[in-house]
Amino acid sequence: MKMEKWDLYNAKREKSGITVCRGEIIPKGLYHLSVSAWIVNQQGQYLLSQRHPKKQYPLYWECTGGSVLSGETSLQGAIREVKEELGILLTPGSEKLIYQTRRENVQDFYDVWLFYRDIKIEEMRLQETEVVDVQWVSSDKLFEMFRLKQLHPLITYVDQLIG
């Protein structure tokens, strides 16, 4: 498996010219770029995937996401992650950047994208080491799962997602 390389950014989100490999310590004052991609269908349902039991936060539900690779934009990283984890090919055009923050505890800039796409669960090709299940849920069900702490703990912005 190829080692993931990340570009590092300063506190103003400017590329620093430094790259690190996943797992290496990120120097203080620098950040990598992480993304999440929410997919909504025509019924207004949100696609959730369930994390593999051997990953950190095992079996929590989440949207697809991960780290942006060196040379990629935030949007390119989101599209790649969805392809890798769910086998869904998204094309840029209808996406919307709905949330951005800098998280000091994990030293990243975190971008959340929203895509509109109808796809049947049977058509998805789950990455076995990452995802064990998927489901479409209504916004009410999503809020309920958030309230019951069934979503990944870093998903703290559900109100902006549905808002």
Side-chain angles (χ1 to χ4, degrees):
M1 190 159 127
K2 194 176 164 206
M3 183 59 77
E4 274 190 25
K5 268 190 142 171
W6 301 341
D7 292 321
L8 295 184
Y9 298 79
N10 65 23
K12 294 180 180 174
R13 200 175 167 140
E14 300 162 335
K15 275 191 183 176
S16 67
I18 300 169
T19 59
V20 295
C21 291
R22 175 186 282 282
E24 291 180 358
I25 292 173
I26 297 173
K28 190 163 174 53
L30 295 177
Y31 306 84
H32 74 286
L33 187 54
S34 298
V35 292
S36 284
W38 287 92
I39 301 173
V40 180
N41 66 18
Q42 284 185 335
Q43 288 77 42
Q45 296 171 314
Y46 295 82
L47 183 63
L48 291 176
S49 57
Q50 190 174 33
R51 294 172 67 84
H52 192 279
K54 291 194 169 136
K55 290 186 73 174
Q56 187 180 21
Y57 304 111
L59 300 176
Y60 276 88
W61 290 91
E62 64 183 355
C63 58
T64 301
S67 294
V68 174
L69 301 180
S70 180
E72 282 183 329
T73 65
S74 168
L75 178 58
Q76 289 167 336
I79 289 171
R80 177 187 44 78
E81 286 287 347
V82 169
K83 175 93 170 77
E84 286 176 2
E85 293 184 17
L86 303 177
I88 299 171
L89 185 56
L90 298 172
T91 50
S94 68
E95 73 283 342
K96 190 164 87 172
L97 184 62
I98 60 166
Y99 181 75
Q100 283 187 304
T101 191
R102 187 176 79 199
R103 302 183 295 195
E104 297 296 333
N105 59 329
V106 290
Q107 280 181 269
D108 74 354
F109 284 100
Y110 177 55
D111 292 352
V112 179
W113 292 91
L114 183 65
F115 295 89
Y116 298 92
R117 180 76 192 271
D118 284 319
I119 185 164
K120 293 182 176 79
I121 286 179
E122 337 39 275
E123 294 173 18
M124 297 178 202
R125 297 293 164 252
L126 309 184
Q127 187 178 16
E128 291 177 10
T129 56
E130 297 275 339
V131 179
V132 293
D133 199 6
V134 289
Q135 64 176 326
W136 288 104
V137 298
S138 67
S139 56
D140 288 346
K141 173 78 173 167
L142 186 63
F143 268 122
E144 178 74 0
M145 292 174 78
F146 177 70
R147 193 182 63 73
L148 295 173
K149 301 194 182 323
Q150 296 171 338
L151 299 183
H152 189 297
L154 291 177
I155 298 174
T156 58
Y157 51 83
V158 172
D159 52 336
Q160 275 136 320
L161 176 64
I162 295 169

